[in-house]
């Protein structure tokens, strides 16, 4: 018997805006879309090429997205974090902490963050 970690669900307040963010900022692709689940939600499964784990975006017009700050985050790995973050900034996506470039010169693990439209943090690590 084997067990696999298949997906992580997050609730979103605007499905199209969230799909657009995760596609443009993180490179996700829409793998599957269900406009009416048994519970009445709209569900979109996003995946990164070469990865099995998926991100499930769930939208329901009667659900208000609220969560405590710093409750959870997702994380993606990139080959060149400086190039990746610079490209995102050129596209108008805010990278934090504000001094992320300076932090990379002090050694250690290179990491930065961005925030999705609902306030979920996305950590970026260099592979």
């Amino acid at each position: 018997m084997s067990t696999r970690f298949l997906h992580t669900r997050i609730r979103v307040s605007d499905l199209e805006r969230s799909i657009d963010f995760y596609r443009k900022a993180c490179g996700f692709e829409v793998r599957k879309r269900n406009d009416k689940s048994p519970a009445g939600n709209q569900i979109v499964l996003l995946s990164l090429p070469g990865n099995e784990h998926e991100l499930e975006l769930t939208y329901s017009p009667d659900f208000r997205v609220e969560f405590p700050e710093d409750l959870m985050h997702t994380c993606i790995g990139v080959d060149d974090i400086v190039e990746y973050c610079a490209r995102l900034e050129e596209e108008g996506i805010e990278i934090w902490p504000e001094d992320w470039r300076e932090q990379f010169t002090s050694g250690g693990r290179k990491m930065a963050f961005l925030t999705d439209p609902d306030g979920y943090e996305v950590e970026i690590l260099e592979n």
Side-chain angles (χ1 to χ4, degrees), residues 73-77 111-114 121-125:
H73 72 266
T74 55
C75 182
I76 59 173
M111 79 172 79
F113 292 86
L114 52 125
E121 297 172 2
V122 178
E123 182 178 0
I124 305 164
L125 292 176

Side-chain angles (χ1 to χ4, degrees), residues 41-78:
N41 298 309
Q42 291 180 18
I43 297 171
V44 173
L45 286 173
L46 302 177
S47 62
L48 284 171
N51 289 259
E52 287 188 35
H53 189 85
E54 295 177 314
L55 181 61
E56 177 184 293
L57 304 180
T58 301
Y59 170 76
S60 177
D62 60 345
F63 187 89
R64 185 168 177 205
V65 176
E66 286 185 319
F67 55 91
E69 185 177 338
D70 202 28
L71 175 67
M72 57 88 57
H73 72 266
T74 55
C75 182
I76 59 173
V78 299

Side-chain angles (χ1 to χ4, degrees), residues 15-16 19 30-45 56-60:
L15 190 58
E16 298 308 319
I19 292 168
V30 174
R31 191 188 68 73
K32 184 177 179 184
R33 186 174 192 135
N34 182 341
D35 288 328
K36 183 111 173 160
S37 74
N41 298 309
Q42 291 180 18
I43 297 171
V44 173
L45 286 173
E56 177 184 293
L57 304 180
T58 301
Y59 170 76
S60 177

